[in-house]
Amino acid sequence: MKAVVKYALEDGSTEVRDVPIPKIGPTDVLVKVDSIGICGSDPHMHHNNVSYPVEVPLILGHEFSGIIDKVGEKVEKFSKGDRVTAETHAEYCGKCVMCRTNNYHLCQERKGYGFGVDGAYASYVKVPERILHRVPDNVSLEEASLTEPLCVAYNLVVNNMTVNPGDVVVVIGPGPIGILSCNMAAIAGASEIIMIGTNGDEKRLEKSKEYGATTTINSGKTEPLPIIKEKNEGYGADVVIDAAGPAVTLKLALEAVRPEGTVNKIAWGPKPINYSLDKIIEKAITLRGSFSHTWDVWEKSLKLLEKGQVDLSGLITHQLSIEEWERGFELVESKEGIKVVLKP
Ligand SMILES: [Zn+2]
Ligand SMILES: [Zn+2]
């Protein structure tokens, strides 16, 4: 089968290769991949510009959907022909304290698709039954391939911080995770959602209005802080989500949040920061992170898709064949595309 393989820890070392179809074990299924979402982290992997460990050679891709082609003899709840999507946790130990407390996404032995285990930029992918999820009949497989970023936003907004009805929420970074965080904040009852982007983000800022943003600011043209500081009697936002990542956006987040407010960092920023974090003390801020998601978050996110409370199809700007992966990466990097879906 054809697959997009990262073959060395060097910039640009990715190519389409012919590789064997994965062999499944007794508790696995073989999924015939229908759609793959390009994650913002995939081009970073291609350029070898990530702060987490990567094992090569490796098939990229962790956002996908497809149809079950084969089931292992011990698989109980799924059959050939089922429409499915899957969590990214291809492997975890299942025995440690994190695994036993429904925090298996934080297991030391966790290996993610397209990072530690062969991913889904391919015709077929092997998936253990324990991380499979059924796609509702009324949800397209293209849309279902983007369940993963929705789960990231769900886990961030619902489980790893509190958004109360009436809150002022600031989201920095109108990429897919930022836009879906707007959507989740709106569902959680936020009254004002301010999305901040920069030059080049114009299309994404517009899109975020369809996903719950009540105000958008291009920080390349307008200074965002005075606008945010008008909220809550001059104190600023109740919560700030940093979905951008660089040092400068965390700085803005710490300034924009009100005393006793929460800043949640969802975007990676591999470079060190060069400023004081004393604002955290001065304003008694809660600064926390959010990583990945778990089975329950997937089921709830798929329910949101089934009931039409979230429409992921609105984020899909391009559909390309898997051979055009590099063009897809360019569309994501140039911000011309929001979500690009590849078809094997
Ligand atoms: Zn991703
Ligand atoms: Zn574990």
Side-chain angles (χ1 to χ4, degrees):
M1 66 172 187
K2 287 224 175 347
V4 179
V5 177
K6 176 177 170 66
Y7 55 86
L9 296 177
E10 284 163 22
D11 182 5
S13 52
T14 313
E15 66 186 11
V16 175
R17 284 187 177 178
D18 216 357
V19 301
I21 292 176
K23 289 206 170 45
I24 60 166
T27 55
D28 299 323
V29 307
L30 186 68
V31 173
K32 187 172 192 327
V33 178
D34 180 275
S35 302
I36 311 139
I38 296 182
C39 175
S41 65
D42 295 334
H44 290 150
M45 298 266 293
H46 173 53
H47 294 302
N48 214 46
N49 190 18
V50 293
S51 57
Y52 37 79
V54 176
E55 291 173 30
V56 290
L58 174 90
I59 302 172
L60 294 175
H62 60 270
E63 303 175 4
F64 62 95
S65 65
I67 294 174
I68 295 181
D69 186 67
K70 226 189 249 175
V71 295
E73 67 258 31
K74 288 194 177 149
V75 169
E76 289 172 0
K77 292 186 174 162
F78 290 85
S79 341
K80 185 176 158 87
D82 287 352
R83 301 161 81 242
V84 291
T85 181
E87 296 168 41
T88 51
H89 326 291
E91 292 179 16
Y92 51 89
C93 81
K95 295 171 191 159
C96 73
V97 63
M98 287 293 110
C99 284
R100 285 174 185 275
T101 52
N102 197 36
N103 289 304
Y104 59 87
H105 57 309
L106 300 170
C107 171
Q108 277 180 9
E109 291 177 38
R110 174 189 182 273
K111 287 189 177 178
Y113 283 116
F115 299 102
V117 166
D118 279 336
Y121 278 41
S123 308
Y124 294 91
V125 62
K126 175 180 93 167
V127 185
E129 183 181 22
R130 64 183 176 182
I131 56 165
L132 273 179
H133 296 266
R134 230 172 275 284
V135 175
D137 290 341
N138 64 339
V139 175
S140 72
L141 287 174
E142 287 80 12
E143 192 177 1
S145 72
L146 308 183
T147 310
E148 197 269 342
L150 174 59
C151 292
V152 170
Y154 187 111
N155 199 33
L156 162 73
V157 173
V158 178
N159 293 339
N160 287 326
M161 59 195 279
T162 307
V163 174
N164 288 310
D167 271 358
V168 176
V169 175
V170 168
V171 181
I172 309 171
I177 300 293
I179 292 173
L180 290 170
S181 299
C182 277
N183 204 160
M184 288 310 307
I187 291 171
S191 290
E192 289 189 74
I193 302 172
I194 303 170
M195 172 62 94
I196 302 171
T198 186
N199 290 327
D201 283 330
E202 290 79 4
K203 261 196 230 165
R204 293 172 167 215
L205 286 170
E206 269 316 293
K207 183 57 80 175
S208 64
K209 289 183 190 164
E210 295 168 29
Y211 283 80
T214 53
T215 306
T216 59
I217 303 172
N218 175 349
S219 64
K221 294 203 176 106
T222 310
E223 186 55 57
L225 210 49
I227 299 171
I228 301 165
K229 284 288 183 186
E230 284 169 17
K231 312 295 175 188
N232 283 330
E233 303 179 359
Y235 283 118
D238 297 293
V239 298
V240 182
I241 294 166
D242 177 11
V248 59
T249 58
L250 180 61
K251 190 157 191 270
L252 173 61
L254 296 172
E255 285 164 356
V257 75
R258 66 162 165 80
E260 285 287 343
T262 302
V263 172
N264 201 314
K265 182 166 162 56
I266 184 66
W268 302 80
K271 295 204 182 101
I273 57 171
N274 64 346
Y275 50 82
S276 162
L277 290 175
D278 284 355
K279 277 262 179 287
I280 296 173
I281 306 165
E282 185 192 318
K283 298 203 285 184
I285 295 166
T286 302
L287 171 63
R288 70 163 298 171
S290 181
F291 174 73
S292 202
H293 30 65
T294 44
W295 189 91
D296 46 322
V297 171
W298 278 73
E299 288 297 306
K300 300 272 190 206
S301 295
L302 285 160
K303 179 67 83 179
L304 291 175
L305 297 181
E306 181 186 1
K307 297 298 174 192
Q309 287 168 282
V310 175
D311 170 23
L312 293 173
S313 61
L315 293 180
I316 302 173
T317 51
H318 301 81
Q319 265 192 42
L320 302 172
S321 80
I322 203 169
E323 281 86 4
E324 298 171 285
W325 64 273
E326 198 160 10
R327 162 103 182 106
F329 283 12
E330 284 162 11
L331 285 166
V332 169
E333 288 177 295
S334 67
K335 300 182 178 179
E336 198 188 325
I338 298 178
K339 267 326 253 193
V340 179
V341 169
L342 298 180
K343 294 289 211 173

